[in-house]
Amino acid sequence: MAKMEVKTSLLDNMIGVGDMVLLEPLNEETFINNLKKRFDHNEIYTYIGSVVISVNPYRSLPIYSPEKVEDYRNRNFYELSPHIFALSDEAYRSLRDQDKDQCILITGESGAGKTEASKLVMSYVAAVCGKGAEVNQVKEQLLQSNPVLEAFGNAKTVRNDNSSRFGKYMDIEFDFKGDPLGGVISNYLLEKSRVVKQPRGERNFHVFYQLLSGASEELLNKLKLERDFSRYNYLSLDSAKVNGVDDASNFRTVRNAMQIVGFMDHEAESVLEVVAAVLKLGNIEFKPESRVNGLDESKIKDKNELKEICELTGIDQSVLERAFSFRTVEAKQEKVSTTLNVAQAYYARDALAKNLYSRLFSWLVNRINESIKAQTKVRKKVMGVLDIYGFEIFEDNSFEQFIINYCNEKLQQIFIELTLKEEQEEYIREDIEWTHIDYFNNAIICDLIENNTNGILAMLDEECLRPGTVTDETFLEKLNQICATHQHFESRMSKCSRFLNDTSLPHSCFRIQHYAGKVLYQVEGFVDKNNDLLYRDLSQAMWKAGHALIKSLFPEGNPAKINLKRPPTAGSQFKASVATLMKNLQTKNPNYIRCIKPNDKKAAHIFNEALVCHQIRYLGLLENVRVRRAGYAFRQAYEPCLERYKMLCKQTWPHWKGPARAGVEVLFNELEIPMEEYSFGRSKIFIRNPRTLFKLEDLRKQRLEDLATLIQKIYRGWKCRTHFLLMRKSQIVIAAWYRRYAQQKRYQQIKSSALVIQSYIRGWKARTILRELKHQKRCEEAATTIAAYWHGTQARRELSRLKEEARNKHAIAVIWAYWLGSKVRREYRKFFRANAGKKIYEFTIQRIVQKYFLEMKNKMPSLSPIDKNWPSRPYLFLDSTHKELKRIFHLWRCKKYRDQFTDQQKLIYEEKLEASELFKDKKALYPSSVGQPFQGAYLEINKNPKYKKLKDAIEEKIIIAEVVNKINRANGKSTSRIFLLTNNNLLLADQKSGQIKSEVPLVDVTKVSMSSQNDGFFAIHLREGSEAASKGDFLFSSDHLIEMATKLYRTTLSQTKQKLNIEISDEFLVQFRQDKVCVKFIQGNQKNGSVPTCKRKNNRLLEVAVP
C-alpha cells in the first residue's frame, strides 16, 4: 500500500468526519455510518474532541512506521488526521512541557485491540523521548515487561486470540527532561478460574502451551513434563493450537524478555517449576473410600503425579497427601480435623492450583516492578497507561463479569466527570460563559454495587461471613429483600420487577440496568468465588516446601504466624483496588482511547453494524459527543483559524498585519455569520454549530478553486510572454550568427583563390631552378665517373703485384712448417708411451669438470635463502666439491639477501631472532606470531589528536604503543588500558581520556611470567619495596604478547645490562598488594567462542580458562 499522505489539517480531504463532534445530523445511524466509511478506507481512528476511537482492523497497516512517528512528533492534536500517535504526543508533551501528570485510559471489550493500543502508546513514547545507554535500557525493560505479562496473564478466547485476562495499570515515571526513569505496574483481578477450567473453544493461559511447545527436552525432563498437551487435564484440547501463533517462538521471546527485565536464571527456573507444578496438579485424581465410622473420605488414585509434584516443590509427600484428604478447622484453642470427600478434595486441588498461579502472577508483577522502578529519588513526572477489560455481556454472566462491569461503571463515571471538568476549565480559561449540561449520571448504579451498607458487594461479604448455611440462593433472597425497590435492579422475586412472568428471567438470576445496558447475572458461584477459600492445611503444606519461591507465596502457612481472622473476600479486595485506581486517575490529566471490535470473526474488511452499535451504546460514545457538543462544537486558536480562512476576506488576504483575533473578527463580520453561532475566547474562537464550520469549509473550497483559476491565468500569461521573449532573443542570436557565417564564407573563398595563384607562381619558379640544377649535376657526375674508372685501373694493377708477393711468402712458410713438424714427431715418438695415459686422464677429468660446471650454471636454484633445492650430484668423486659449492652458494645468496635490508628491517629481524630464542618450542602462541611483523606503535599516538595530551606528557621515544586488557586484581574482570614502553619506563594510560595511570621504571621490572598455552595473558613482576610495587604486580592480556615480551626483554637488557627473567609456566605466583595469588591456566569450553576468560576463585587463586 502506498504511503499515507500527510495532511496539514484535520479538515483537509476528510473521509467522512474525522471528529464526531462535527457530525451532522448526530444520531446512532450517522455515527455508525461515519465509522464504517472511514473503516472501509483504512481510517481506523476517529476523534470525539480529544477522545480517540480505535476500530480494530485485524490486519497490519503501514501507519506505525518511524516516518509516521516523526510526522506526529511535536504537532498540534488537530493538525493531522486522527491517530493514536497524536494523542500519545499530546499527553507526552503536556507531561514534559507543562509538568502535568497524565493518564491514558484504554477501554473496550475483548478483541477490540486494547493491548495493542497500549503497546503503540508505549512504543511512541519510547521513540520520541531522550536517548542514551541508561535511558535505552529503561525503555527496553518497560517494553519487554509486556511479553512476560502477556504470557502469564493472556489467553485465547472465542473473541480474541490474545485476550488480557487481567487489568493492568502502568505508571511510567519521567525526569524533568522527559526521559523515562522507570515504572510501576498494578494488576487487577486475574481470571484465575481459567487455570482449572476453560469454556469450549478457549485456551488456558499462554505460558502453559509455550512451555510445552518451546522448552528443550532437557528442560522438560527436569520439570517432569511431556510435550503432549493431552496428558494434562487443565489444558483444553479443542483449541490447543491457534492459527498464526507460534508458541515455541513465543516461549523463546518470553525467556529473552525475562532476562532483559532482570530475572536471574534461578528465578526464571523457579517460575517454570511453579508452572509445571500447577499443570501436574490437574492430573491428581481421587477415589472414594469408606471408613469404619461410615463417613466417606477420598484417596489419591495414582500417587506418581503427587510424587513428581513433591519432587518439584520440595514438599514432603505425606504432608501434601494428608492436606488433600483432611481439613483442620481451628477456633480459639480447639482444632477439629475432618475428612474430605471426593468433591471436596477436587475443590481443594483446584483451589490450590488457582491460588498458586494467582500468587505467582502477583509475584511476577512485583518482581518486574523491582527491576523497572526508578532508581533516583528526585521528583518525577508520571504517565499512567490503563489497559483494562471492557464491559462484558455474555450468555452466562457470573461473578467475574459482575465485578468487571462494576469497574467499567466506575471508569464511565470518572470519564463523564473529567470530561465535563475539562470542558468547564477550558470555558473558564477562555472567558466563555458556562452553561449547565444535562447528562446521565451513573453514580446511582455505582452506589447500588459498592454502598457499604446496602450495596450488592457489601451484602455478598455479609453472607460469606454469616454463620450457618450460606448458599447462592440465600444471597439472592437477601438481594430481593434489600434492593427490591431500586430502579436499576430486577429479579424474578423483586417487588418492582416488570418481568414477574417473563421466563427469560430465571429464579436464580438477577438483572442490573447498567449504563451500557441490562445484564443478567447468574448467582451460582457468587459466594464461593467471593470467598476464594484455600484450606489452611494446604497453605501450611506449601509453606513447608523446600522451594523458596513457593514458600514465599504462602506466608500465612507459617505456624508461628497463624491468624484466625478470616482473609478479605475477593469482592472487597477488588473494590479497594478500584477505589485506589480511581483516586490515582483523578490526580492526573486524562486521555481516552475507546477500542471497538468490528466483527466477531477476527477477520479484516468486515464491519458488523449491529455489533458496533452494541459497543457504541455501552461505551457511551453518543453521550460523550452530546456532552462535547452541549456548548460549542468546534474551537480553534486564532492564528491557525485566520491562516486557514483568510482568503475569504479581501481585508485579510493575502496578509493581515494586525493581531490574529482582530483579523478573525473582521473575517466573520465580512462573512455575515450570526453572532449567536460563535464566541470569542481569550486565545480561541468557539463555533457553536458544525453547520457553520462546514459552511466556512465550503466557502474556502470555492475560494481555493477561484484562486487556483487566477493562479492558472497568471501562470499561462507569464508562460506565453516568457516564450515570446525567448523566441525574440533566439531570432536575434540566429541572425547574428548567420551574418557572421556569411562573412566568414566569403573571406574563405578570397583566401583560397589567392593561395591557388601563389602556388602556380611558386611552381613555375621551382621548375626553372630545377632544370639548372640538373644540368650542373650531370656535368659533375661525368667528371667523377671518369676519375673513378682511372683510379680503379691503377688499384687493380697494384693488387696483382701484391698477390704475387704473398703467394711466394706462403710457400716458404708451408715448407718450413712441414719440416718442423717432421722434426717434432721424430722427437715425440721417443717419449709417447711413458706419458700418454696420464695426459689422457687429465684431459678426461678436465672435460668432466668443465661439463659439470656448465650444467650447474643452468640448474642453479633461486636466490631465496629459504629455498632448499640443490641439483643432484652427477659423479661420486665430486661429492665434497658438490657440498662445498652448495654451502658457498647459500652463504653468497644470504649475503645478497641481507644487503637488501634497511636498518629498520635488520632491527625487526634481530627482534624476531630474539623471540625465537626466547619462545620457540616453549610457548604455543609463538608459531602464530612468526608471520606477523613487529610494528610497535599500533595506536599512532603522534598522528591521533585524541592522544595529544598523552604525547606531550612523554618526552622519550615510544617503543610500544598498544591497547591491552588489564586484569582487575579483585574480581578478574578486564579494563582497557594503553600500554606504553619507552627507553627507561613502562607506562599505563586510560584509553578514553589518555591520562597516565601508572609509570614503572624498567629497573623495577624483575620478571615476566606467562603460560605455555595459546593465550595472551602475561604478568609483569615488580621489585619488592619499589614505589611502583605498592599495589602489586600487573596482569595483562594482549593480542601481541610475543612482540611485547621481546621488546621489553631487549629494552631492559639495553638499559640495565641484565637479562630479564622470562618464566613460562601454567602456574605462577603474582603479588597483589600484600597477598600472593596463584594464576592457574586450565582448559575449558568458552561461551564466547575462543576468547580466554579470567575468574577470581578465592583470595589465593585466579583461574584463566583457555579454549
Side-chain angles (χ1 to χ4, degrees):
M1 182 178 292
K3 184 178 178 181
M4 197 174 175
E5 180 190 359
V6 177
K7 302 172 184 177
T8 59
S9 173
L10 175 68
L11 299 172
D12 284 336
N13 303 322
M14 280 197 305
I15 297 173
V17 178
D19 191 341
M20 290 293 187
V21 176
L22 305 178
L23 187 62
E24 278 291 328
L26 177 62
N27 53 54
E28 196 172 78
E29 182 180 356
T30 57
F31 194 100
I32 296 173
N33 289 338
N34 188 56
L35 281 181
K36 185 177 187 303
K37 184 176 181 180
R38 293 179 61 79
F39 177 79
D40 292 339
H41 289 80
N42 297 327
E43 295 283 350
I44 63 172
Y45 296 112
T46 308
Y47 291 156
I48 301 178
S50 60
V51 177
V52 175
I53 302 175
S54 172
V55 183
N56 192 344
Y58 286 115
R59 62 192 178 97
S60 298
L61 293 177
I63 58 175
Y64 307 109
S65 61
E67 293 80 10
K68 187 63 66 175
V69 171
E70 289 302 319
D71 289 341
Y72 281 87
R73 187 173 186 175
N74 295 328
R75 302 292 286 269
N76 184 273
F77 185 76
Y78 296 102
E79 189 171 348
L80 301 178
S81 58
H83 201 291
I84 194 172
F85 286 170
L87 180 137
S88 305
D89 186 73
E90 183 76 12
Y92 176 71
R93 285 192 292 114
S94 297
L95 175 138
R96 182 192 63 193
D97 302 336
Q98 302 176 20
D99 202 19
K100 293 181 179 179
D101 288 348
Q102 303 290 316
C103 65
I104 298 178
L105 281 66
I106 307 172
T107 56
E109 72 173 50
S110 178
K114 300 187 299 299
T115 301
E116 287 302 317
S118 66
K119 291 180 184 176
L120 289 171
V121 171
M122 293 177 65
S123 64
Y124 179 85
V125 174
V128 300
C129 62
K131 301 290 187 279
E134 294 184 2
V135 173
N136 289 337
Q137 181 183 3
V138 171
K139 291 193 290 188
E140 187 67 15
Q141 286 185 336
L142 290 173
L143 294 176
Q144 290 299 324
S145 64
N146 283 325
V148 179
L149 294 179
E150 285 184 11
F152 287 86
N154 289 22
K156 189 262 183 190
T157 65
V158 293
R159 297 187 175 185
N160 187 3
D161 290 342
N162 187 33
S163 176
S164 299
R165 306 318 299 162
F166 70 104
K168 181 180 74 173
Y169 177 74
M170 174 183 283
D171 267 337
I172 307 173
E173 299 173 335
F174 299 83
D175 62 9
F176 70 96
K177 298 178 295 183
D179 295 340
L181 297 174
V184 179
I185 298 174
S186 302
N187 66 299
Y188 301 96
L189 190 66
L190 177 72
E191 188 188 12
K192 58 185 177 182
S193 60
R194 182 172 292 271
V195 174
V196 300
K197 184 180 180 181
Q198 307 91 41
R200 180 175 296 276
E202 298 189 4
R203 295 204 313 177
N204 210 323
F205 292 103
H206 291 326
V207 67
F208 297 113
Y209 304 92
Q210 292 174 358
L211 174 61
L212 297 180
S213 300
S216 62
E217 293 294 338
E218 179 184 357
L219 180 58
L220 288 178
N221 293 334
K222 183 178 179 180
L223 298 178
K224 306 183 185 304
L225 295 175
E226 298 180 23
R227 207 172 292 281
D228 185 9
F229 295 159
S230 63
R231 294 278 299 165
Y232 304 100
N233 297 331
Y234 279 167
L235 300 184
S236 60
L237 301 180
D238 57 338
S239 57
K241 296 291 184 181
V242 181
N243 294 332
V245 176
D246 186 352
D247 288 319
S249 175
N250 291 340
F251 179 73
R252 293 189 291 271
T253 301
V254 171
R255 290 298 300 269
N256 182 59
M258 293 178 75
Q259 186 176 7
I260 293 174
V261 170
F263 283 81
M264 306 298 290
D265 289 341
H266 71 275
E267 290 178 326
E269 291 177 3
S270 298
V271 169
L272 294 180
E273 287 170 354
V274 176
V275 173
V278 172
L279 263 182
K280 299 186 75 64
L281 274 174
N283 291 349
I284 295 179
E285 296 183 349
F286 302 94
K287 60 182 179 180
E289 184 173 306
S290 298
R291 302 182 66 181
V292 178
N293 58 6
L295 297 176
D296 290 336
E297 66 177 14
S298 61
K299 292 291 183 181
I300 297 175
K301 288 183 180 180
D302 184 5
K303 296 185 180 180
N304 185 50
E305 293 285 352
L306 182 66
K307 178 182 177 183
E308 292 182 349
I309 293 173
C310 293
E311 291 174 356
L312 274 175
T313 58
I315 302 175
D316 185 83
Q317 184 173 346
S318 61
V319 173
L320 187 57
E321 184 177 1
R322 175 176 176 79
F324 280 133
S325 302
F326 294 89
R327 178 187 179 189
T328 302
V329 179
E330 186 172 351
K332 295 183 180 181
Q333 301 299 324
E334 297 181 2
K335 289 185 179 180
V336 178
S337 181
T338 60
T339 60
L340 301 178
N341 57 32
V342 172
Q344 292 172 330
Y346 277 117
Y347 174 84
R349 179 202 69 177
D350 292 344
L352 177 60
K354 291 187 290 184
N355 273 271
L356 189 58
Y357 190 83
S358 175
R359 298 184 187 202
L360 172 65
F361 187 78
S362 299
W363 181 87
L364 279 171
V365 174
N366 293 332
R367 179 63 183 83
I368 292 173
N369 285 337
E370 290 179 9
S371 296
I372 67 176
K373 68 181 179 181
Q375 302 300 321
T376 59
K377 295 183 179 181
V378 298
R379 182 180 178 275
K380 309 175 188 69
K381 305 176 183 180
V382 178
M383 176 184 289
V385 180
L386 177 64
D387 173 12
I388 202 162
Y389 16 62
F391 201 86
E392 292 187 351
I393 304 176
F394 298 147
E395 291 184 5
D396 297 327
N397 300 290
S398 188
F399 179 74
E400 292 85 359
Q401 283 69 46
F402 175 73
I403 55 178
I404 285 173
N405 294 342
Y406 159 62
C407 179
N408 277 272
E409 287 284 357
K410 296 293 290 183
L411 288 174
Q412 177 67 11
Q413 184 182 23
I414 194 173
F415 169 67
I416 296 295
E417 289 177 358
L418 293 178
T419 301
L420 288 174
K421 180 181 177 183
E422 181 184 1
E423 282 285 295
Q424 186 174 7
E425 286 178 352
E426 183 171 19
Y427 277 45
I428 295 172
R429 186 169 57 249
E430 293 294 330
D431 199 16
I432 300 294
E433 183 180 355
W434 171 257
T435 56
H436 177 72
I437 298 174
D438 292 326
Y439 65 95
F440 171 69
N441 189 345
N442 66 336
I444 187 173
I445 303 176
C446 297
D447 185 70
L448 171 65
I449 299 173
E450 67 182 1
N451 188 281
N452 291 330
T453 305
N454 298 324
I456 295 176
L457 286 176
M459 287 185 283
L460 181 59
D461 289 347
E462 185 178 336
E463 278 295 296
C464 293
L465 299 175
R466 180 174 62 83
T469 304
V470 178
T471 63
D472 296 321
E473 287 73 18
T474 60
F475 166 62
L476 182 59
E477 289 178 4
K478 190 164 189 174
L479 287 182
N480 290 332
Q481 293 174 5
I482 297 177
C483 301
T485 58
H486 199 285
Q487 58 180 334
H488 291 274
F489 176 85
E490 300 171 359
S491 74
R492 196 177 184 91
M493 302 302 294
S494 66
K495 296 179 181 179
C496 69
S497 175
R498 300 188 300 274
F499 303 94
L500 190 59
N501 298 318
D502 189 353
T503 57
S504 66
L505 190 61
H507 288 281
S508 60
C509 298
F510 65 91
R511 180 157 36 208
I512 293 179
Q513 176 70 50
H514 288 282
Y515 78 92
K518 294 182 178 180
V519 183
L520 183 68
Y521 298 102
Q522 295 183 353
V523 294
E524 181 182 355
F526 261 62
V527 173
D528 286 340
K529 291 176 181 179
N530 190 50
N531 270 325
D532 194 24
L533 286 179
L534 179 66
Y535 296 150
R536 183 175 288 113
D537 302 74
L538 289 172
S539 298
Q540 293 176 350
M542 293 296 105
W543 188 85
K544 294 177 182 177
H547 196 283
L549 175 57
I550 293 179
K551 185 172 184 177
S552 67
L553 297 179
F554 293 88
E556 75 277 11
N558 187 353
K561 299 180 180 178
I562 292 180
N563 186 1
L564 299 182
K565 185 179 179 181
R566 190 181 184 93
T569 61
S572 60
Q573 290 181 29
F574 186 74
K575 177 182 174 183
S577 299
V578 169
T580 303
L581 175 63
M582 296 302 114
K583 184 178 180 181
N584 192 358
L585 295 179
Q586 286 177 339
T587 63
K588 297 179 174 62
N589 185 48
N591 302 271
Y592 300 95
I593 301 175
R594 302 298 208 183
C595 299
I596 291 179
K597 181 168 66 173
N599 60 79
D600 279 329
K601 298 179 181 179
K602 293 178 279 189
H605 306 294
I606 298 177
F607 191 90
N608 187 326
E609 296 186 9
L611 178 63
V612 173
C613 177
H614 170 70
Q615 295 173 78
I616 289 173
R617 289 174 181 172
Y618 78 65
L619 286 173
L621 298 184
L622 279 174
E623 185 79 10
N624 187 8
V625 177
R626 292 190 180 100
V627 169
R628 182 77 180 190
R629 289 180 56 168
Y632 293 90
F634 182 77
R635 69 240 23 212
Q636 190 175 27
Y638 290 122
E639 288 79 4
C641 179
L642 181 60
E643 183 66 27
R644 185 169 182 81
Y645 300 113
K646 64 182 180 180
M647 72 284 298
L648 300 180
C649 177
K650 293 181 179 180
Q651 299 179 47
T652 58
W653 177 258
H655 301 293
W656 174 258
K657 297 182 180 179
R661 172 171 177 167
V664 174
E665 291 177 355
V666 170
L667 174 64
F668 274 54
N669 291 332
E670 179 73 18
L671 296 176
E672 297 181 353
I673 298 175
M675 292 291 293
E676 63 272 10
E677 286 296 322
Y678 63 89
S679 290
F680 291 105
R682 296 181 185 276
S683 62
K684 296 179 182 179
I685 182 169
F686 288 73
I687 298 176
R688 186 177 302 279
N689 200 308
R691 286 192 296 271
T692 304
L693 180 65
F694 293 140
K695 177 184 176 181
L696 289 173
E697 284 297 311
D698 291 340
L699 292 173
R700 180 177 181 271
K701 184 177 180 182
Q702 181 61 42
R703 180 58 177 159
L704 288 176
E705 292 176 358
D706 296 340
L707 290 174
T709 304
L710 177 62
I711 293 171
Q712 289 175 351
K713 180 184 71 172
I714 296 174
Y715 172 74
R716 291 192 185 103
W718 170 84
K719 187 175 181 182
C720 290
R721 175 167 177 78
T722 303
H723 181 68
F724 166 74
L725 293 175
L726 180 62
M727 293 292 289
R728 181 183 174 186
K729 182 180 179 181
S730 301
Q731 187 272 334
I732 295 172
V733 172
I734 293 171
W737 276 87
Y738 175 76
R739 286 193 291 270
R740 175 178 176 273
Y741 167 75
Q743 292 298 324
Q744 282 182 338
K745 190 173 183 182
R746 185 168 177 270
Y747 167 76
Q748 292 292 343
Q749 289 175 350
I750 295 172
K751 182 179 179 180
S752 61
S753 300
L755 290 175
V756 170
I757 294 170
Q758 289 175 355
S759 65
Y760 273 101
I761 294 173
R762 292 190 187 101
W764 173 76
K765 288 184 177 181
R767 286 191 294 273
T768 302
I769 295 171
L770 179 61
R771 282 193 296 270
E772 293 176 356
L773 291 174
K774 283 183 177 181
H775 176 72
Q776 184 181 352
K777 184 178 180 182
R778 280 195 297 269
C779 293
E780 291 175 355
E781 286 178 352
T784 302
T785 302
I786 294 170
Y789 271 100
W790 166 247
H791 292 152
T793 302
Q794 291 294 105
R796 283 190 292 273
R797 287 176 183 174
E798 183 67 20
L799 179 63
S800 299
R801 187 182 64 77
L802 291 175
K803 283 184 178 180
E804 185 64 27
E805 289 180 1
R807 279 195 295 270
N808 293 335
K809 289 181 181 180
H810 181 68
I812 295 171
V814 170
I815 295 169
W816 175 250
Y818 269 100
W819 182 81
L820 286 178
S822 174
K823 184 179 178 180
V824 170
R825 282 192 294 274
R826 283 197 300 271
E827 293 295 327
Y828 179 72
R829 289 190 187 100
K830 295 179 184 180
F831 304 101
F832 177 75
R833 292 194 179 128
N835 299 314
K838 181 179 179 182
K839 293 291 184 180
I840 293 170
Y841 173 76
E842 290 177 353
F843 177 77
T844 305
I845 293 298
Q846 183 180 1
R847 292 298 297 169
I848 289 173
V849 171
Q850 184 180 11
K851 181 180 179 182
Y852 168 70
F853 280 115
L854 290 174
E855 289 178 352
M856 284 292 291
K857 176 183 177 182
N858 299 326
K859 296 181 180 178
M860 292 298 278
S862 67
L863 294 181
S864 174
I866 62 174
D867 189 356
K868 302 295 184 181
N869 295 324
W870 185 252
S872 61
R873 180 193 63 202
Y875 301 101
L876 182 62
F877 74 92
L878 293 175
D879 183 59
S880 60
T881 302
H882 194 69
K883 292 180 179 177
E884 184 64 18
L885 279 175
K886 180 179 179 181
R887 185 184 69 81
I888 293 171
F889 177 76
H890 180 68
L891 293 175
W892 173 77
R893 68 182 177 183
C894 287
K895 181 179 181 304
K896 295 285 286 183
Y897 187 77
R898 289 195 299 273
D899 290 343
Q900 301 173 5
F901 290 167
T902 62
D903 293 340
Q904 183 67 23
Q905 289 176 319
K906 289 180 181 179
L907 179 61
I908 291 175
Y909 278 95
E910 287 176 2
E911 291 178 346
K912 285 286 186 180
L913 184 60
E914 193 80 61
S916 174
E917 295 175 355
L918 292 174
F919 301 109
K920 187 175 181 181
D921 300 328
K922 300 177 183 178
K923 177 70 175 174
L925 186 64
Y926 171 73
S928 63
S929 71
V930 173
Q932 299 177 355
F934 289 173
Q935 298 180 13
Y938 289 95
L939 293 184
E940 297 184 347
I941 290 179
N942 293 332
K943 298 180 181 179
N944 195 335
K946 178 180 178 182
Y947 302 117
K948 184 178 184 302
K949 182 179 178 181
L950 180 60
K951 174 189 171 184
D952 296 340
I954 301 174
E955 298 179 354
E956 301 179 274
K957 177 185 177 183
I958 297 176
I959 301 173
I960 291 179
E962 164 67 334
V963 175
V964 300
N965 291 325
K966 177 178 176 294
I967 308 304
N968 190 295
R969 299 179 176 92
N971 52 23
K973 294 184 178 179
S974 62
T975 306
S976 295
R977 289 285 186 268
I978 298 176
F979 184 96
L980 298 172
L981 176 63
T982 64
N983 290 330
N984 296 308
N985 296 292
L986 185 153
L987 301 97
L988 293 178
D990 186 81
Q991 184 183 5
K992 295 181 178 179
S993 63
Q995 182 181 359
I996 297 176
K997 296 292 187 180
S998 302
E999 183 173 358
V1000 180
L1002 291 181
V1003 296
D1004 291 343
V1005 178
T1006 61
K1007 184 172 64 173
V1008 176
S1009 299
M1010 63 188 72
S1011 74
S1012 62
Q1013 302 187 38
N1014 193 16
D1015 63 275
F1017 285 85
F1018 66 99
I1020 295 180
H1021 301 270
L1022 306 180
R1023 180 168 52 84
E1024 293 186 4
S1026 64
E1027 181 181 354
S1030 60
K1031 293 184 179 181
D1033 301 336
F1034 292 105
L1035 185 59
F1036 300 108
S1037 172
S1038 173
D1039 295 336
H1040 303 91
L1041 169 61
I1042 301 299
E1043 177 182 358
M1044 296 177 71
T1046 303
K1047 287 184 180 289
L1048 182 61
Y1049 176 84
R1050 287 173 61 85
T1051 307
T1052 305
L1053 179 62
S1054 173
Q1055 297 300 319
T1056 63
K1057 309 303 181 184
Q1058 295 181 354
K1059 292 185 178 180
L1060 179 64
N1061 183 17
I1062 295 183
E1063 177 186 359
I1064 300 178
S1065 173
D1066 287 344
E1067 289 190 23
F1068 53 82
L1069 294 175
V1070 294
Q1071 185 76 30
F1072 284 171
R1073 294 189 183 275
Q1074 303 301 324
D1075 300 330
K1076 284 191 178 293
V1077 178
C1078 176
V1079 180
K1080 183 177 182 181
F1081 292 80
I1082 61 173
Q1083 297 287 334
N1085 295 325
Q1086 305 301 309
K1087 296 181 180 178
N1088 53 353
S1090 60
V1091 180
T1093 57
C1094 184
K1095 188 174 183 180
R1096 184 76 179 262
K1097 287 296 185 178
N1098 50 50
N1099 292 337
R1100 300 293 181 182
L1101 179 60
L1102 189 69
E1103 281 192 355
V1104 180
V1106 182

